[in-house]
Amino acid sequence: MARLFSLFAVAFLGLQLIQIDRASAASNRIVAVGDIHSDYKQALAVLQMAKIIDSKGDWIAGQDTFVQTGDNVDRGAGTIDVYKLLQKLRGQASAAGGVVINLLGNHEVMNLGGDLRYVTKEDTASFGGATARKAAWDMQTGWIGKFVYNSFNITHIQNGHTLFSHADMSVDWAEKGIDQMNYLSHKALKDKKFKEPIFTTYGPVWNRDLAKEEAGEDQTCEVIENIKQILGVKRMISGHTAQSSGKVLTLCGNSYIGIDVGITAYYGANRAALEIIENSDGTQTVSAIYPSGKVILS
């Protein structure tokens, strides 16, 4: 019913529901990367390490799927280059039979809504000043604003087995379903209502309860299991909560994996990506990729 409602509302209100949760490349390899925060140099390094791009920044991943879980902006000076890279890779991946999936982070929402508290002076200068930067983020006329509005969803399920969101999912939001969450986020953006519940503290762009195990280990694992059952997935992948260790966070038998490892120089210039290989027997092999090599998680 929620899906029928969202599709009807999209047609009635003229919204664009980005159906990336149905996207699937022919390859059995998925690579996910967390928060980049305007650090173009680090973005290139991590994507090269994960064999998504070559030394020139071009797509080499064939029919693979690349998921970026949001927060490409703020804290650094390379916003323009980062979003140009993501735009280019979407086109190159599509031409090769691959897929790039971009998710909204809280910092995308903040910049779309004019909340610029984490924008650096250097980043503003790279646009040619505050007026030009604001124009670039306009959802109707700006190149970044239009790109984010038209291409980013708030959550994604990959081939029925893995849930991706920028921040932590909750039971209440999971019960609404993927399509409804994506519809609500795009309606809020269209209406310029940046303080709607889906964009606030316990929504899937801000929530940190699972990563921080706020309810304790046992209760956190129970919540994660409930969300998995509601959405029919095997695992949940989130960014948002930076790990001081520089390593991915795994909880509850790898049912939850946090992939914000602090890629940006602001958080330590760490490098890591997550790889999921879909096996012929219906299982998945999940690994963390580091400069030192690959570590199998499950």
Side-chain angles (χ1 to χ4, degrees):
M1 181 62 71
R3 174 168 167 74
L4 289 174
F5 169 78
S6 65
L7 292 177
F8 171 78
V10 165
F12 182 75
L13 295 173
L15 294 174
Q16 180 180 359
L17 184 63
I18 305 167
Q19 292 286 359
I20 59 172
D21 57 298
R22 304 292 182 253
S24 177
S27 170
N28 66 339
R29 181 176 185 255
I30 302 104
V31 172
V33 171
D35 307 38
I36 292 171
H37 282 303
S38 298
D39 195 324
Y40 180 61
K41 179 181 177 180
Q42 278 290 97
L44 292 176
V46 170
L47 294 180
Q48 287 178 40
M49 179 189 70
K51 295 181 170 52
I52 295 296
I53 62 173
D54 61 18
S55 60
K56 296 181 180 179
D58 291 320
W59 180 267
I60 58 168
Q63 296 179 323
D64 292 353
T65 296
F66 167 48
V67 182
Q68 201 291 316
T69 56
D71 274 11
N72 297 288
V73 64
D74 288 342
R75 304 192 189 280
T79 298
I80 291 174
D81 288 335
V82 168
Y83 283 98
K84 282 185 175 179
L85 175 65
L86 293 174
Q87 280 188 322
K88 179 181 72 171
L89 293 182
R90 286 179 72 90
Q92 291 180 341
S94 180
V99 175
V100 173
I101 295 165
N102 297 110
L103 298 183
L104 284 167
N106 57 301
H107 285 267
E108 272 86 15
V109 176
M110 291 167 69
N111 275 260
L112 291 171
D115 184 344
L116 309 180
R117 74 185 94 162
Y118 297 110
V119 177
T120 66
K121 293 179 181 179
E122 295 81 5
D123 191 61
T124 298
S126 74
F127 283 84
T131 300
R133 191 183 190 283
K134 180 179 179 180
W137 278 90
D138 187 283
M139 287 183 286
Q140 293 184 321
T141 59
W143 72 272
I144 299 179
K146 289 193 297 184
F147 174 48
V148 172
Y149 178 74
N150 290 320
S151 304
F152 287 46
N153 267 346
I154 204 166
T155 188
H156 166 76
I157 291 179
Q158 181 69 23
N159 293 340
H161 55 70
T162 303
L163 169 72
F164 293 92
S165 56
H166 173 64
D168 292 345
M169 190 60 63
S170 68
V171 170
D172 288 345
W173 282 108
E175 287 176 339
K176 294 182 184 299
I178 295 298
D179 286 340
Q180 183 71 350
M181 282 186 280
N182 287 331
Y183 160 74
L184 288 171
S185 65
H186 280 90
K187 184 177 187 303
L189 291 179
K190 178 179 171 59
D191 295 341
K192 297 184 178 180
K193 294 182 177 180
F194 303 104
K195 299 297 183 182
E196 286 292 279
I198 198 162
F199 292 149
T200 54
T201 305
Y202 294 105
V205 298
W206 273 106
N207 188 16
R208 302 182 193 272
D209 284 359
L210 303 181
K212 292 190 172 185
E213 296 183 287
E214 294 286 2
E217 181 179 355
D218 291 345
Q219 184 63 31
T220 296
C221 288
E222 183 177 333
V223 171
I224 289 170
E225 192 61 33
N226 287 343
I227 294 169
K228 286 168 53 183
Q229 291 180 9
I230 291 167
L231 295 174
V233 297
K234 296 180 180 179
R235 65 191 63 82
M236 303 159 53
I237 313 297
S238 298
H240 189 51
T241 304
Q243 301 303 306
S244 59
S245 66
K247 306 294 184 183
V248 301
L249 170 69
T250 60
L251 299 175
C252 311
N254 296 306
S255 288
Y256 175 98
I257 303 175
I259 61 170
D260 181 358
V261 299
I263 290 173
T264 174
Y266 182 90
Y267 283 122
N270 302 302
R271 297 176 184 177
L274 192 76
E275 178 187 74
I276 301 173
I277 301 295
E278 297 172 326
N279 303 313
S280 58
D281 63 357
T283 63
Q284 297 85 42
T285 300
V286 182
S287 303
I289 304 173
Y290 300 111
S292 59
K294 190 182 299 185
V295 177
I296 296 177
L297 303 177
S298 63

